[in-house]
Amino acid sequence: MLLGPAPHRRLYRLPGLLRRYSKSHYDEQLVYKYASQKINPVSIGQLLKYRRLPLSGENILDSVAYSQAELPVRLAKRVISFHNLPFIVGTNPHIARVYNQYYEAFDRLHAFAPINDLDAEWEFTQALERQTHVLADVIPSLAQGILECKQYMPKEMRAAFINDLIRSRIGLRVIGEQHVALSYQFRSDTGSSSHDEPWVGAIHTKLLPARMMEQCAHLVQNMCDLHYGTAPQYYLDGDVDETISYIPSHFEYIACELLKNAFRATVDFTAKIDRSAHPPIQITITKGDGYVGVRIRDHGGGISKDNLRNVFEYSWSSMQSPDAEPSSPAMAGMSMQTNLALQQGVGGPIAGLGFGLPMARLYAGYFGGSLDLVSMEGFGCDVFLKLRSIEGSVEDKQI
């Protein structure tokens, strides 16, 4: 149940660019009050504790109690992190939009009274689901804003701000999505967990990396064909029946970012050297002790020595190079912004903004994995992804 309507906030418009909240002294004090509280980390093992128990109303109320107490604190800390940006960066319309989305999520979730029954829990869960979906889409705006403000922030400051925000964002999503998934699971027709049930909230305990890579490669191949009018083939080999305990949305994000780079590089290099056909992209799955490895091999010409040191930097992209050539006649004559806008509409929301590889590495490392790239200039790249199984390998990991 909500405590009541949120305090009135007067909206004003920054010079013709955006509309944002004008916080009252009360609002600011409230945010700082929450932000001053310590984060109460939760372990992966705690998130998995319902995996072999029938879900009960008591379990759901226990889960929502943690989410309700923890998420406003974490959201408030993100709001304050925007306050610490240089003023000119904070007034950028893309940055301000992300700031408002975090504030609105805080404002919405902190307003709930303590939850003691399942009706109130369901109301909170629906609000949490809406806010989680809103915050899932902040990266394109953040990336565009950071790109536009590069000259106002030292590289180290940019990296620290983005890394903190993304790590916090992963934690917020894992906690929020886990409770939402448990709540839906409790209310489903089966309504129970069992030893054979692969889902524990948002965590899939029997995920097939080969199937995920196949789905992602098919999606990216279609995107590539739509953007450039052509796309290479791909094939999978290795330990294709191996399973892992992981969060599918995280796996999908990492895989799509790596595959987008491989497909685009292959198309670019084919045009550059005028070869008759695209060589296929090879995706190899390997199993290890508590982890799964994925190698993506392309024949996209590799990365030059000068550019190789920049590939894991935020806001750097080969698409931003002034001498970059269009990958197809359809792209000729388009500005970079038009090119990016086209890609944003069909599933490639941060292509060209320089966030793909550094974010993929951050996601891979969050649960103890790794992401490495080996380039052979004039030939292609091998990307090595290592993901640790959440169940068993990293259950002590604190979120």
Side-chain angles (χ1 to χ4, degrees), residues 127-248:
L128 175 57
E129 184 177 26
R130 287 191 294 270
Q131 296 306 322
T132 300
H133 287 164
V134 169
L135 294 180
D137 296 327
V138 301
I139 295 301
S141 293
L142 177 69
Q144 186 65 55
I146 293 295
L147 179 63
E148 293 176 2
C149 297
K150 284 176 66 173
Q151 66 269 39
Y152 306 121
M153 298 175 72
K155 181 170 65 175
E156 295 76 14
M157 183 181 184
R158 288 200 312 268
F161 173 77
I162 297 168
N163 282 336
D164 285 348
L165 185 140
I166 293 174
R167 287 193 187 98
S168 170
R169 176 177 176 269
I170 295 172
L172 285 166
R173 287 194 66 182
V174 170
I175 295 169
E177 290 178 351
Q178 182 71 0
H179 174 72
V180 169
L182 285 173
S183 185
Y184 273 97
Q185 191 173 332
F186 170 69
R187 290 174 170 83
S188 69
D189 291 336
T190 56
S192 64
S193 298
S194 71
H195 183 76
D196 296 326
E197 171 60 47
W199 288 96
V200 183
I203 299 170
H204 197 296
T205 59
K206 298 178 182 178
L207 189 68
L208 272 167
R211 181 179 298 171
M212 290 292 296
M213 294 302 299
E214 168 69 32
Q215 293 171 352
C216 292
H218 182 68
L219 170 66
V220 173
Q221 185 183 53
N222 288 339
M223 289 167 52
C224 184
D225 190 45
L226 180 59
H227 295 329
Y228 307 130
T230 182
Q233 297 299 312
Y234 63 88
Y235 66 94
L236 281 82
D237 58 18
D239 299 315
V240 295
D241 295 323
E242 186 66 13
T243 62
I244 188 175
S245 175
Y246 214 73
I247 299 175

Side-chain angles (χ1 to χ4, degrees), residues 11 64 73 85 116 140 242 244 255 261 352 362:
L11 295 174
V64 77
V73 173
L85 291 173
N116 298 310
E242 186 66 13
I244 188 175
N261 288 337
L362 198 63

